[in-house]
Amino acid sequence: KDAEVCYAASDVYVLPTLYDPFANTTLEALASGLPVITTTSNGGSELISPGVHGTVLDGTPDGDQIAAALLDWLPADVRSAARDATRNLAEEHPAERTARETAAVLDSVAAEKSGYTRHH
């Protein structure tokens, strides 16, 4: 119910998704200062610089691959070093901007298809 509390109680965020165009939880975790372990099937993985903001696993990872990634982020000093970088990355992608840019793309497609123009 209270995502902020869950993120605050965590050391690393793991989302080994099989498909997600862009998991918003990726940005939430980054904003909380957490390194993110996810897959190339998460569109949010495109933001992550491996070793800086988290780990990006190819394909469908097995338990051993996830465990190995977790071990990489186990040392407190490694997680601490990532904290500012993850927060800074999340701040580059605020929800308001994402919503505004998504609306602009949708408006553009709608205008192209039907002559529709949205007045802001």
Side-chain angles (χ1 to χ4, degrees):
K1 183 177 178 181
D2 192 352
E4 289 179 20
V5 171
C6 293
Y7 290 124
S10 302
D11 293 319
V12 178
Y13 180 71
V14 181
L15 181 64
T17 185
L18 299 178
Y19 176 73
D20 199 322
F22 191 103
N24 286 331
T25 57
T26 303
L27 277 177
E28 292 172 357
L30 292 167
S32 298
L34 299 175
V36 172
I37 299 171
T38 192
T39 64
T40 54
S41 297
N42 173 4
S45 70
E46 294 176 11
L47 301 178
I48 296 170
S49 295
V52 176
H53 309 111
T55 303
V56 179
L57 304 170
D58 288 325
T60 305
D62 60 27
D64 290 339
Q65 291 169 304
I66 295 169
L70 282 167
L71 287 173
D72 289 341
W73 292 101
L74 183 63
D77 60 324
V78 173
R79 292 190 319 274
S80 179
R83 191 168 295 123
D84 287 340
T86 60
R87 287 183 182 144
N88 290 339
L89 178 61
E91 287 175 5
E92 293 173 16
H93 303 278
E96 297 82 14
R97 187 182 92 194
T98 302
R100 187 175 54 253
E101 290 174 356
T102 299
V105 168
L106 294 174
D107 285 346
S108 174
V109 171
E112 188 177 300
K113 296 292 181 185
S114 67
Y116 167 83
T117 304
R118 178 176 160 184
H119 300 284
H120 300 271

